[in-house]
Structures are given as structure tokens and as C-alpha cells.
Amino acid sequence: MRILVLGGDGYLGWPTALYLSNRGYEVAVADNFVRRQYDYELGVESLVPIYPLQQRIRTWKAVSGRDIGLYVGDLQNAEFVYQMIRDFHPDSIVHFAEQRSAPYSMIDREHAVYTQVNNVVGNLNVLYAIADIDPKIHLIKLGSMGEYGTPNIDIEEGFIEIEHNGRKDVLPFPKMPGSFYHLSKVHDSHNIHFACRNWGLRSTDLNQGVVYGVETEETKQHPHLATRLDYDHVFGTVLNRFCIQAVLGHPLTVYGRGEQIRSFLDIRDTVRCIELAALNPPAEGEYRVFNQFTEQFSLRQLADLVVSTYPGDARIEYVDDPRTEALAHYYNAKHTKLIELGLEPHYLSDTLLESLFGVIEQYKDRVSWEAIRPSVNWRRTHNQATRV
């Protein structure tokens, strides 16, 4: 199988490409390196040093004997997208190539518009290219559990049966996203669903939870193969951030009372889920949704776990929640389809957080302390000016 990984220089895209290559698939990656530019903009960098993508690919070939193809370009450039797909002839396209931070999308008007244009237009170009070149290509698109929001009912996997005025239908599950980033993911989902219905495409939408961890079997084989580990308040995911704060001696910054519930999965399960989706493609014209996570925790539960696991002193600080969200809510999301396909999850209770602490300890001198505490506020006030 030939698999094209869009966003192959990123936190999840790179280890996914390595995993698939190591499993014997023919793999190519595409990226425009804009994620590295966000670091320059924000004045931060990955805690773990990440090497240029070209060097990463050379190192992987030296270590494994396997090559990974490379395409450099922007998905907003339709000509680039068409050329790339015609050249590589993928059986599956894994789409990670979007601006992935909710806080980044909420900085101001400029960042909100950029996020939506970048994500929605890039995805539309991929859909049109698949339809025009080879509708049999399976699009595996990374969505987000954040698309659903926190409804006061159980969250199904993409669709829900509704009875209204004596009639029944199975419809897309209602979405209540909490940021302009998550809204862009909702727009993607609707566009993909429409393309499958209208053009007979086939797609798997992976509504992914919060990913934790930094190492996979492949990334551990050489320092040049490491993936990024973000700790700043804009791009750092919550469990990774808590672990970094513990090692640094910085209080674990828990928003509100810490009763917000999120879904989580290990980075090693992320790469396996991609393979399971590719090995079990949907039918022609089918749009399907998998809720891609393994466990649910409140923020307070996560913080308590880090404090109890870390061998040194660690403490929790409750701070005002910069997000517009319910500070306590019901949350129960279904996630059976990937388990039925064969996923054997790594559970957080079985995960040795000590290994993550060790990686952080090794590179803690690279931390910019100014980047840790939250500064992006979801609630606009009258004295905030939007740049024009």
C-alpha cells in the first residue's frame, strides 16, 4: 500500500510516517514547514530538538534501509496538490496538515481567519484532487473530539438516530465546537461528508482526543528521528504540559476547578489507529467517523496523577480559565469502532510517565519560562482591538 502523509513534519505526522514505513508501506510525506514558523512567531521551540525534515528522512534510511518520499508545498496551492497526488499515486492519504491549535486560532481576527482559510481551503483542494485524479483513494482525515463540544447527552461516533414528529433518521451528530480551530474541523467534516455523497469518495474522519507522549518505537532509534514536544500555552497539550511543569518546578496550571473532562490517547495508539483505518477502508461513497481515543479524565485527575507519579515535589495551581467553556459538565463519548478493528490500547495507568519525565529532564534547559502561563483569552473585551 502506498500512503501519503500530509503534514509529515509535525508532532503526529512524522512518527506516523515512520511507523507506516517500518511496517512495510511505501510512504511519502508533504509539508510546507509552517509549523516551524509558528515557533518563530511565538518565540518558542520544541522542548526536544527536532532536525530538518530532509535530515530526518536521511537518518531513517540509514537506520532502517527504507526511504520516505518528500513533497514540499502548501495545500492551498491546488496545482501543487494535483501534481503531488499524480506523482505518488497513493492508495491512502493521511491528512494531518492543518493549523492544530485552538489557542492560536483565538489570538485575534488575523489568526482566526488564517486558521479557517488554511484548514478549509487546503482540505477542499485535497478533496477535489482525489475526485479528479482517482476517487478510489481513501482519505484518512484527522478531526477532533473538540468538534462535539460537551453536550449533555452521550456522544456517538459521528452519527445519531433521531426521532422527530413520529419520523426517524440517522443524522450527523450535532457539533458545538469551542474555538475557531475546532470550527474549521467541523467545516472539514461537512465538506468531506458532502464530497463522499456527491462524488462517491471514501473517507474516514478520525475525531481524535488529546495525545500524550513523545516516543514511539521508531523515534527512539536515533536522536534525529525525535518528534516535537510542545510545552507553551498555545501548542502544548495538557498532559505533556503538566509533566513539563512538574519537572521544571513550575505549578501545574489547571484551568478553573479542573472538572472539565477530555478524551486522551497515547501517541503509540495514534499511529496504530492510522494503520487500522488504512487496512480497513470504507466502501465507495462512504463517510465514516471513528472517535479516536482510549480514556477520559478530568484535568484535575490528570494533574493529581502527575503529582503522585513525579518523584520530586510538584503542586497544582488553579488559574482562571481563559476559555469559554463549562467549568463542570457531563461527558461520555463512545469509542468502540477502532477497538473492534483490533486496536490494543496503551492505558495511562500502564504508561510509565517516568520515561516522559526523563526526556523532559534531559532538555529542560531549553524552556522559555515566559511561554508557560496562558495569555490567550477566548473572551474578547471592549478594550481589545482587532488588527486590520
Side-chain angles (χ1 to χ4, degrees), residues 157 290-291 293 333-343:
E157 295 202 59
F290 296 162
N291 289 345
F293 70 94
K334 306 294 180 62
H335 57 109
T336 61
K337 293 181 181 179
L338 284 162
I339 301 294
E340 292 167 358
L341 290 180
L343 176 66

Side-chain angles (χ1 to χ4, degrees), residues 90-106:
D91 298 294
S92 297
I93 295 177
V94 181
H95 186 2
F96 286 110
E98 296 194 336
Q99 193 293 100
R100 66 172 179 85
S101 166
Y104 189 87
S105 74
M106 300 299 293

